[in-house]
Amino acid sequence: IKPEEGERTIRLLAAWIHQTSFAYPGRVAFLLWKRKHSDLLQSLIPQAEILAPEEACWRAGDAAILGLPLFSGVLPGVGYAVPNKFIGLELFRKGIIGRYHHRGGKVIAYLPTDPAMVTQALAAGCDLVLAEYPCIPKELSHVAKNGT
């Protein structure tokens, strides 16, 4: 949820969920960059799965790149956004993604820009893909259509 309209978006989403009785647990995760938005979402939708905030993603990423897992702060069951590259270093690699998984974290491939990058992220072990526009590889198009 983009920070500029975060509060409004969260309130509208919560109202929609309550009006429609949408069964979202396990199907939806929220990425929020402001703590006040996480707190608001948790108060309005207590069962919401909230991914790690921006600063936690940066800390975990730095530790993964440097090979310092004790400093990562990765928590079991929490999802961390990981971009494809950081200062020219490819991050969608099994070794990097494995460092999150070793501590029980989930990895979200953050904003891949083409189908090849999605394939690379999934091959490296990313648990989820977050994209701003359709970039699904042809061999996975059946998943996008029917969820299997």
Side-chain angles (χ1 to χ4, degrees):
I1 294 176
K2 303 262 181 166
E4 302 80 19
E5 292 290 325
E7 183 174 341
R8 180 176 176 272
T9 301
I10 292 165
R11 290 187 186 286
L12 288 170
L13 182 62
W16 178 77
I17 287 172
H18 295 301
Q19 286 174 356
T20 63
S21 300
F22 176 67
Y24 62 87
R27 297 174 59 196
V28 177
F30 297 91
L31 179 61
L32 304 151
W33 295 124
K34 291 191 174 187
R35 179 67 186 182
K36 69 179 186 175
H37 294 154
S38 294
D39 293 343
L40 177 63
L41 181 65
Q42 204 72 68
S43 72
L44 296 174
I45 310 171
Q47 310 90 327
E49 178 183 351
I50 300 174
L51 304 174
E54 184 176 19
E55 61 274 4
C57 292
W58 281 106
R59 181 180 62 241
D62 290 345
I65 291 167
L66 297 172
L68 301 169
L70 294 177
F71 297 101
S72 70
V74 171
L75 300 172
V78 175
Y80 295 84
V82 176
N84 178 48
K85 289 186 181 181
F86 178 70
I87 56 172
L89 180 65
E90 295 278 340
L91 300 182
F92 294 165
R93 299 187 341 232
K94 287 184 181 185
I96 296 287
I97 304 307
R99 291 176 181 157
Y100 290 84
H101 289 159
H102 182 73
R103 300 195 61 84
K106 294 187 280 186
V107 179
I108 295 86
Y110 185 67
L111 303 180
T113 56
D114 61 52
M117 211 178 283
V118 172
T119 299
Q120 181 184 5
L122 295 173
C126 290
D127 303 291
L128 301 167
V129 176
L130 175 65
E132 288 193 34
Y133 57 89
C135 59
I136 299 168
K138 286 182 182 180
E139 64 271 17
L140 295 177
S141 62
H142 68 282
V143 174
K145 290 178 184 167
N146 62 24
T148 59

